Amino acid sequence: MVTDRHGQEMKGTGAVAVRHYERALEELLFFREEVVGEVGAVLEASPRSVMGHVFQAYLGLLGTEEKDAAEAAAAFGVFRRQVPVEGLTVRERMHVEAASSWLGGDMHRAGRVLGELVVAYPRDALALAVGHQIDFFTGDAVLLRDRIGGALAAWDRDDPHYGLLQGMYAFGLEEAGHYGLAEQVGLEAVERNARDVWGIHAVVHAYEMQGRHEDGIGYLDARRQAWSAGNYLNVHNWWHYALYLLETGRVDEVLAVYDAALHHDGSAGAAMELLDAAALLWRLYLAGADTGGRWPVLAQAWARRDDGPHYAFNDVHAVMAYVGAGRLGDAERLIGARQGWLRDAGAGLSNVAMTAEIGLPVCRALVAYGRRRYGEVVDLLLPVRRRLQEFGGSHAQRDALQKTLVEAALHAGRHDLGRTLLSERIHLRSRCPYNQQAWARLMAKDSQG
């Protein structure tokens, strides 16, 4: 019987393939691009490796790329027809069920199955890592915290992957509002593994949510060699760096980071990178900053993708780009296409509720903002503002939409609402310059009658 290093049986997987599997897992936890090659090596060495096929399916899903997911679904379907589930271990059957559910469009069920799996097999690092990302994509802050926290007691603190789990746990703690503990756990994670880019990311989030922007800049500067290149998260961490710069008023430096790291001629056009670019430019749009010719270039990059209804969070950022570029017709066409899809979409697809209940109202609000119909923006965003997490992302990412609501309220003359929204923000993050500046604008409007 062949097992992984935690004694978990690996059906159809020889010793050579297991070594590649362990290396693939290492690359995944460090967000390194080499994970793709290592998973390929697993299947080259053992073409019927159950966990190799499961891992490959997850890789097709983790980027939220519609085309990658379709290719993964086709390949996994061939595997399912060739390898009977009856011969698999309980753990492997649960992985197959989780991957099948997500490939079929039910991300929430996949997360539930992986949650059940790690109760029985808490040292299954692949199940924990993939489940953690599902919790991120579905915006479930409690599970981001508790999925990892519930497994940590089963791990030896000397295990090489323990620190990487701490990095995940730190991010869950931050999203659940435990900022001080998130910082502490995240710093320990990075002390264990200097190139734990997810752990670095967790610390960065903790600083962001406390308005500690200069601390965040200093932390990232001190570790730039570890996070700024050679991993799937480097663009996103550059985005965080740019957010810090924006909050401290350094718009020229923000645009320099955008051009060097977020979007340029060499950018791959991946959804996760384009949404970071759109989210940054949208904040500048709200601030009335001059972004030169960047919006049209970014909007064209989204248009080239020609995405279908795969993940509503991505759709919202495509609409940001279209609105910022003045391509309101393209934004309206995307909204119309999603409305048409909803009429025919079947039950059980996670993106149905994400689109219908959050994605479309937000997209319509962004278009209304572009048309300066600020009262309409307020009417669309206010009912969903406490539910935005249901279509994924982090608090920091969704804050662009919260700021859109604040700005719309101020522009629409809804000063009582603006006062309430800003009071909430100030009492959570008193050190945040945006909150103070927006409050000063509100007070000036009030004084003018």
Side-chain angles (χ1 to χ4, degrees):
M1 180 179 71
V2 178
T3 66
D4 67 10
R5 69 183 185 83
H6 289 301
Q8 296 163 147
E9 188 175 355
M10 304 269 288
K11 291 285 188 178
T13 311
V16 172
V18 170
R19 287 196 293 274
H20 283 294
Y21 177 86
E22 295 290 359
R23 285 200 287 270
L25 189 56
E26 183 93 350
E27 306 296 2
L28 177 72
L29 295 174
F30 279 101
F31 284 75
R32 294 175 185 143
E33 298 173 3
E34 290 81 359
V35 63
V36 175
E38 289 296 342
V39 171
V42 173
L43 294 176
E44 183 177 348
S46 294
R48 293 172 70 86
S49 168
V50 176
M51 291 307 298
H53 282 283
V54 164
F55 207 144
Q56 186 179 62
Y58 289 145
L59 289 184
L61 292 159
L62 287 169
T64 70
E65 295 280 350
E66 182 182 26
K67 295 178 179 64
D68 290 350
E71 291 175 6
F76 203 65
V78 172
F79 158 73
R80 291 291 308 270
R81 290 190 292 273
Q82 293 177 345
V83 179
V85 70
E86 292 78 18
L88 310 186
T89 68
V90 172
R91 182 181 73 96
E92 289 172 330
R93 286 201 299 271
M94 296 180 81
H95 267 296
V96 168
E97 183 180 356
S100 298
S101 294
W102 194 357
L103 289 166
D106 194 343
M107 197 187 315
H108 292 87
R109 185 171 186 275
R112 290 194 297 272
V113 172
L114 290 172
E116 294 167 6
L117 189 160
V118 297
V119 171
Y121 305 94
R123 292 189 297 168
D124 188 328
L126 181 62
L128 288 168
V130 173
H132 184 68
Q133 290 301 313
I134 288 175
D135 297 336
F136 175 47
F137 295 146
T138 57
D140 194 325
V142 172
L143 272 179
L144 274 168
R145 179 192 66 195
D146 293 347
R147 186 186 298 270
I148 306 301
L152 277 175
W155 285 73
D156 188 328
R157 291 182 63 89
D158 293 329
D159 190 290
H161 290 162
Y162 185 85
L164 296 164
L165 292 176
Q166 283 184 303
M168 295 183 220
Y169 188 47
F171 181 60
L173 288 167
E174 176 275 320
E175 287 298 291
H178 309 286
Y179 304 134
L181 184 57
E183 179 186 353
Q184 174 188 328
V185 174
L187 290 173
E188 183 178 339
V190 178
E191 182 69 23
R192 286 171 175 265
N193 295 289
R195 293 187 178 273
D196 178 3
V197 292
W198 194 255
I200 291 171
H201 167 256
V203 175
V204 166
H205 268 269
Y207 289 148
E208 170 72 24
M209 298 309 294
Q210 297 174 81
R212 294 167 58 188
H213 303 110
E214 293 290 357
D215 289 342
I217 290 170
Y219 184 77
L220 287 173
D221 277 343
R223 291 156 185 80
R224 185 173 296 190
Q225 188 175 0
W227 62 264
S228 62
N231 62 82
Y232 285 124
L233 209 64
N234 70 305
V235 171
H236 186 65
N237 277 332
W238 274 116
W239 175 78
H240 277 286
Y241 193 87
L243 286 193
Y244 290 146
L245 294 173
L246 181 59
E247 286 285 1
T248 53
R250 304 180 220 177
V251 173
D252 288 346
E253 293 180 57
V254 171
L255 292 174
V257 170
Y258 179 93
D259 293 338
L262 267 68
H263 194 67
H264 47 75
D265 290 343
S267 293
M272 286 190 172
E273 295 183 1
L274 291 182
L275 72 83
D276 280 338
L280 183 60
L281 288 189
W282 186 259
R283 285 165 168 81
L284 290 166
Y285 180 83
L286 294 175
D290 181 5
T291 55
R294 293 171 180 83
W295 273 124
V297 175
L298 182 60
Q300 188 57 33
W302 276 107
R304 279 196 298 271
R305 291 180 54 82
D306 191 27
D307 288 326
H310 186 64
Y311 186 41
F313 194 75
N314 292 352
D315 290 341
V316 162
H317 289 82
V319 169
M320 283 181 185
Y322 292 142
V323 172
R327 294 172 58 164
L328 298 179
D330 288 327
E332 293 281 15
R333 277 187 287 276
L334 188 153
I335 290 169
R338 298 302 178 262
Q339 290 172 329
W341 171 70
L342 285 175
R343 287 194 290 271
D344 301 321
L349 300 177
S350 293
N351 196 44
V352 167
M354 288 176 166
T355 299
E357 298 176 23
I358 310 297
L360 281 178
V362 170
C363 286
R364 294 186 188 109
L366 296 173
V367 172
Y369 198 97
R371 292 199 166 110
R372 301 184 180 182
R373 299 205 298 248
Y374 300 117
E376 185 177 337
V377 176
V378 172
D379 292 340
L380 285 163
L381 287 183
L382 194 59
V384 299
R385 64 177 293 251
R386 300 190 193 281
R387 297 182 55 202
L388 291 174
Q389 71 277 5
E390 294 175 19
F391 85 145
S394 66
H395 294 302
Q397 288 176 307
R398 296 186 299 265
D399 196 46
L401 303 176
Q402 302 290 359
K403 286 182 175 177
T404 302
L405 176 57
V406 170
E407 293 299 327
L410 297 183
H411 284 305
R414 305 270 290 267
H415 292 177
D416 287 346
L417 175 61
R419 186 178 300 105
T420 299
L421 296 172
L422 286 170
S423 179
E424 290 177 10
R425 295 178 66 90
I426 287 168
H427 285 88
L428 282 173
R429 284 189 281 179
S430 61
R431 296 167 64 179
C432 176
Y434 169 80
N435 295 340
Q436 299 297 339
Q437 292 160 7
W439 183 262
R441 283 188 282 132
L442 174 63
M443 293 300 100
K445 287 176 181 288
D446 275 350
S447 68
Q448 294 167 5

